[in-house]
Amino acid sequence: MDKLDKYEFSTYSGGEYIYFPDSNIVLGKKWIEEDEKRYKDIINLSGFQKEEDYNTKFNYSGEDIKINLFKAGFVQLAIEVTSQCNFRCKYCVFSGRYSGQRIHKTDNMSLETAKKSIDLYLRYIEEAKDYNPNRRPVISFYGGEPLLNFDLIKQCVEYAKSLYDEQIYFSVTTNGSLLTDDIIDFLVKEKFSTIVSLDGYKENHDRNRVNASGHGTFDFVMKNIKKLYEKQKTPVFLSTVFDYKTDFQKMEEFFRENPQVVELTINGVNSFGTDYFNQFTKEDYIFFNKSLEELKESFIVDVQEGKNHNLNSFMHRVLGDICTSIFMKQVNLNPQNDKVIKYTGSCIPGTKLFVDYQGEIYICEKVSREVSIGNVYNGLDFNKCADIVNQYNEVVSKKCNKCLLRNTCKRCFTSITMKKGVDIHPDICKEKIYDFKKDLEFAYSIFELNPTWIGTYFNEYYDKIKEMAVIIK
């Protein structure tokens, strides 16, 4: 046909398509073959194929980064109010199984450090108003288990509100064990978005999410979730994690039978820099793939029958998100890449400010603590942020510019080593490429079955989540 960089794939029913990674466009192979002139007109569009000078500016200054953050950064201040936790979850980044991360400690953030982090964040919000007048502050509380230092959270809320006259959005991510009536009443009164970590059905949750004595925590966490639901009058947002021993059919049953919860995030255990996955056997992987295929079969039946999206369906959320992740990707016909981060899903350091209990600032709560980007006493080090961006771009411009995922990669600083320069491990890249190919096949297979289902799912699910978040806030 031609020598364009492309990837050909087929759907479950035999439909043939071609993905063009330079422009992030998918065309039907039959459609292409039917009209050669039409095809040539498309591939000759400006920006369809990228030239050697596609990537523009590489060397950013601290001032460049500061201006970019003033325009679109500072979206959230995440405060690690404590390093303590009353759980010992086996996949936790602080479990000692992840390189570059701290382990569980007994230190709390001081009120002075918390106030300085809020001062710094709100100062940046104020300074950036000319660039982004509609930005609203978001302050989130993390741990450890943040509710172990609930008094500090209350003081932070009171202090932030005393400094800022407009709306501040507050959130907390908790293991759910300490949700007493008094704490819930405060969270509801202050309109918190409360996210509870719960890994679905009891057996799955208790396998990994254990207390300091090694006992499962499902029963009392679920009891507290129901109490929170009764008081806030909307379904409780969950952060759910799965691994190769998770039974997806049981997950589907659990969420359908518990309308008082809704999945906000669903993720596999982070595989970067850990020995967690050494425990799994060949039989575990076979079980996982079989469970996933069975879930897909049930999902396909729902799509064929035109069943509406169910907010409480684990299956619809997991597999529906695969489809939307494919179809919501923007076509890229830009002749030049003027993005600050040239490839991958990494944000500009400083987009979120994560402050640890000692007052050090990191890119986010999920990133290893090998490289700090400032502290609450001296502020964000914009020159350091620029150095990270420049080093990152130097690496990705060589490693990623011909990758199949160059317009779709979600990989970010959470799976990258930065202690001795930027190091992108190729094994994770291989996994991401493999997953993307499978997702392309699956999404277009679903599209062929029912073209309207994906759009309906996206609108219904995310409109409902947005509505609930507004009610909470």
Side-chain angles (χ1 to χ4, degrees), residues 7-24:
Y7 169 69
E8 298 188 21
F9 66 95
S10 300
T11 60
Y12 300 164
S13 63
E16 295 180 304
Y17 297 85
I18 301 176
Y19 172 68
F20 298 90
D22 255 3
S23 54
N24 203 27

Side-chain angles (χ1 to χ4, degrees), residues 415-431:
S415 61
I416 291 164
T417 302
M418 293 185 290
K419 189 174 183 179
K420 296 180 181 179
V422 175
D423 182 24
I424 300 178
H425 201 284
D427 285 349
I428 294 182
C429 294
K430 291 176 183 176
E431 291 175 13

Side-chain angles (χ1 to χ4, degrees), residues 348-359:
I348 302 172
T351 299
K352 174 194 285 190
L353 301 182
F354 173 66
V355 181
D356 78 354
Y357 67 94
Q358 296 175 306

Side-chain angles (χ1 to χ4, degrees), residues 237-274:
F237 290 141
L238 295 189
S239 175
T240 299
V241 174
F242 63 85
D243 63 18
Y244 289 111
K245 288 181 182 253
T246 301
D247 187 321
F248 287 136
Q249 279 64 45
K250 289 183 179 179
M251 290 290 266
E252 175 69 7
E253 291 170 11
F254 170 80
F255 282 101
R256 284 186 180 269
E257 292 171 0
N258 289 279
Q260 70 272 31
V261 298
V262 62
E263 312 103 302
L264 184 65
T265 63
I266 302 172
N267 294 298
V269 174
N270 182 7
S271 62
F272 181 70
T274 181

